[in-house]
Amino acid sequence: MPNFTKRHIVELLKETNPENIAELYRQADRVRQEQVGPTVHLRGLIEFSSFCRKDCLYCGLRRSNGRLQRYRMSLEEIFAAAENARLLGFKTVVLQSGEDSHYSLDDFCSLVARIKKELRVAVTLCIGERTREEYARLKEAGADRYLIRFETSDPDLFARMKPDSTYENRFRCLQDLRELGYQVGSGNLVGLPGQSLESLADDILKFRELELDMVGLGPFICNPDTPLYGFANSTLDMVLRMTALTRIVTENAHIPATTATGTLDETGRQQALSCGANVIMPNLTPPEYRKLYQLYPDKICLNEDPGQCKTCVTGMIAGLGRTVALDRGDSLRI
Ligand code: SAM
Ligand code: SF4
Ligand code: FES
């Protein structure tokens, strides 16, 4: 495991020599090739509800955003979207939403169990902070993986950005999920107002310490309907450096080239795949709801349907000389 110190990571985040940056990307690409191979895993993302009880400062779904038209898919609609994912050849579905208390735990567990039984795909949940008991029930129902970014390892910044969460509870969630046997994904937001390079380096060291199975790095994209209106977006350069360093430090974690990275720059996802990333999560949310899941403005794929996104990413992967993985893409740590 490469022994990068915090100082070394900060220096690379500050590096200005283009040749040294290019070498960092080449090194990350080599580690990706050695550790996870040439294939790219696809995960079908279903954004099933835009209701949220929380008020994170950066997010368009925050409960105080009165400008957002909210939607919530029925359990039947969510199942149909997962079935469509299966028909399109996806081996993983990711069910993501705001923290929406509308669905009862029993109903949601039944949905997970039905998807597992009838569709035989891996199920990843990304539905926020829950109790250990709720995570346990969802695991028993068949959920395989869980994504919950800690967003920032800086406790003060965390407290400012997530006023109704606590740092301790976010990490408690990660610990519970690990103990319950989930494959665990976390990650951060890159470029939050007030975030230092030192804290970004700490984020990377945290990814390693937590022995994550998946790490998602999201560039912060400013949403004008939030209190962070007027702050600058993350730069693509910083997300790519974070991707490369995360690959080198975590070695075999699954790292997605995120939709937000593709929103910052139309070749952003290709560039991320070339410096460490090995996963893409195409949007499989039904077209009528896509525009309403507005975490940030100008999100890509709003006018496409699931089949078009599948074709698009398959072409993107082929264009890089890589292929779509045929297996489920489980954790490489187990
Ligand atoms: N509500 C759950 C949670 O917060 O963990 C899951 C859904 S939430 C919309 C998924 C991710 O969206 C968050 O972890 C956050 O990093 C990202 N996100 C929210 N607002 C964003 C923004 N303005 N720019 C980029 N990513 C954003
Ligand atoms: Fe809700 Fe998640 Fe957005 Fe926070 S990031 S407001 S918890 S959807
Ligand atoms: Fe949706 Fe390219 S991934 S159009």
Side-chain angles (χ1 to χ4, degrees):
M1 190 176 286
N3 222 358
F4 272 28
T5 61
K6 179 169 172 181
R7 214 181 83 204
H8 192 181
I9 297 174
V10 171
E11 274 165 17
L12 285 164
L13 291 174
K14 280 187 188 152
E15 179 62 66
T16 53
N17 181 333
E19 188 37 50
N20 292 345
I21 299 168
E23 178 47 33
L24 172 70
Y25 293 172
R26 283 194 294 271
Q27 188 188 347
D29 201 41
R30 281 195 300 274
V31 176
R32 190 268 310 148
Q33 177 68 25
E34 285 159 19
Q35 295 284 333
V36 304
T39 59
V40 177
H41 293 283
L42 302 187
R43 325 285 201 200
L45 177 65
I46 301 167
E47 301 157 330
F48 65 89
S49 166
S50 66
F51 283 87
C52 191
R53 59 185 168 219
K54 289 216 157 82
D55 223 11
C56 308
L57 263 67
Y58 42 79
C59 180
L61 306 194
R62 64 198 305 273
R63 66 166 184 270
S64 303
N65 181 7
R67 296 213 185 104
L68 188 71
Q69 188 191 331
R70 310 270 171 177
Y71 73 95
R72 180 180 281 136
M73 286 166 62
S74 68
L75 296 170
E76 214 36 68
E77 285 178 301
I78 303 171
F79 182 80
E83 195 169 33
N84 189 31
R86 183 77 191 97
L87 291 172
L88 287 168
F90 286 86
K91 298 187 174 69
T92 297
V93 293
V94 182
L95 305 183
Q96 189 187 93
S97 68
E99 286 199 13
D100 185 357
S101 342
H102 166 83
Y103 304 91
S104 76
L105 186 61
D106 283 347
D107 281 351
F108 208 76
C109 286
S110 304
L111 171 71
V112 170
R114 182 174 172 210
I115 293 175
K116 290 297 298 179
K117 181 162 177 272
E118 295 184 31
L119 306 179
R120 305 196 171 279
V121 289
V123 172
T124 305
L125 300 178
C126 180
I127 57 175
E129 294 169 37
R130 309 279 154 150
T131 63
R132 184 181 173 102
E133 291 65 38
E134 287 172 307
Y135 289 148
R137 288 276 312 282
L138 291 161
K139 185 79 185 60
E140 278 160 31
D144 302 277
R145 311 179 188 142
Y146 205 100
L147 304 178
I148 180 162
R149 292 181 179 168
F150 58 75
E151 316 292 2
T152 173
S153 58
D154 172 345
D156 295 332
L157 183 61
F158 185 100
R160 289 200 297 280
M161 292 293 139
K162 291 181 74 67
D164 38 20
S165 292
T166 67
Y167 191 78
E168 290 68 30
N169 192 50
R170 201 79 177 165
F171 284 96
R172 187 275 304 160
C173 290
L174 284 163
Q175 168 127 19
D176 281 347
L177 292 162
R178 170 69 75 212
E179 288 170 7
L180 290 164
Y182 283 90
Q183 296 174 42
V184 181
S186 191
N188 70 348
L189 274 167
V190 178
L192 285 170
Q195 189 177 40
S196 65
L197 295 183
E198 284 71 20
S199 87
L200 285 172
D202 283 335
D203 292 355
I204 292 179
L205 295 174
K206 252 309 176 230
F207 300 153
R208 180 166 68 189
E209 182 191 317
L210 293 168
E211 299 187 351
L212 296 171
D213 303 298
M214 304 161 280
V215 182
L217 304 140
F220 162 69
I221 301 179
C222 178
N223 186 327
D225 294 335
T226 67
L228 298 184
Y229 171 60
F231 282 97
N233 292 345
S234 164
T235 61
L236 179 65
D237 172 58
M238 194 48 78
V239 183
L240 296 179
R241 283 188 206 204
M242 287 293 292
T243 303
L245 287 161
T246 300
R247 167 58 66 211
I248 294 166
V249 170
T250 67
E251 297 190 310
N252 65 357
H254 287 302
I255 302 180
T258 58
T259 302
T261 304
T263 300
L264 270 190
D265 183 300
E266 64 177 26
T267 64
R269 288 180 297 178
Q270 290 90 322
Q271 293 188 59
L273 286 172
S274 302
C275 67
N278 72 316
V279 171
I280 292 208
M281 297 167 64
N283 192 339
L284 301 192
T285 308
E288 64 270 34
Y289 298 124
R290 287 182 181 214
K291 291 186 184 63
L292 307 178
Y293 199 81
Q294 277 178 26
L295 310 182
Y296 48 78
D298 302 322
K299 202 167 147 205
I300 51 172
C301 307
L302 295 188
N303 298 313
E304 281 76 17
D305 66 26
Q308 288 168 310
C309 287
K310 166 84 194 299
T311 309
C312 168
V313 296
T314 308
M316 180 192 299
I317 292 163
L320 293 168
R322 312 251 291 267
T323 50
V324 173
L326 299 174
D327 61 305
R328 266 179 23 149
D330 282 309
S331 171
L332 295 166
R333 296 189 187 279
I334 46 181

